[in-house]
Amino acid sequence: MWQDLMDVLGKICVVYDGLKKIEEKKRDALVGIDMEGLAKILDEESLAAAKIQKLEQKRGSILQELSKTYPPTQKAEDFYKNAPTLAVEKRLISLHQTLSKNVESAVKLRDNNQILAQSALDAVQYHLNRLSGASIDPTYGKGGSSVTHQKKFDFNA
């Protein structure tokens, strides 16, 4: 069981490492406004997320089985002290630390990409409003402010 846990943790680390690379490619696609590339990257991201979910379920079932034999603890590092050998314990702790760093990096990259994507959407919205002549009236009454649009496009043309 301990070997299975090490294998699963190793696989999760590899997938998260790949996810970090995907997030970096996603950042480049967002900055370069490469929509076709972004679509492919989003597919890769979905596959990686599915792999992570499957591996996490497997890790959960392994830990559940191990917790029947060994008492559960608050921290994973404390639980790994129940490993049969010191080498296994050290390897599990190392994998756990690597996984934590990979997850933290992937989350930071994801958050940065969300900011880039939101900024791009805001820029598009700004330009659409500017092109359409949208303006917000400076009155705030019971109904709130009102937005008016000038008709600058002839859609029947």
Side-chain angles (χ1 to χ4, degrees), residues 122-136 147-153:
D122 290 344
V124 167
Q125 184 66 42
Y126 166 77
H127 287 292
L128 286 174
N129 286 339
R130 198 185 77 187
L131 289 171
S132 69
S135 64
I136 298 177
V147 178
T148 58
H149 297 274
Q150 297 173 0
K151 186 176 180 183
K152 291 192 174 184
F153 300 109

Side-chain angles (χ1 to χ4, degrees), residues 9 17 19 33-34 39 43 54 79 88 105 117 127-128 139 141 146 150 152 157:
L9 280 174
D17 196 42
L19 186 60
I33 311 171
D34 178 12
D43 291 339
K54 183 179 175 184
F79 185 74
V88 171
S105 296
H127 287 292
L128 286 174
T139 59
S146 64
Q150 297 173 0
K152 291 192 174 184

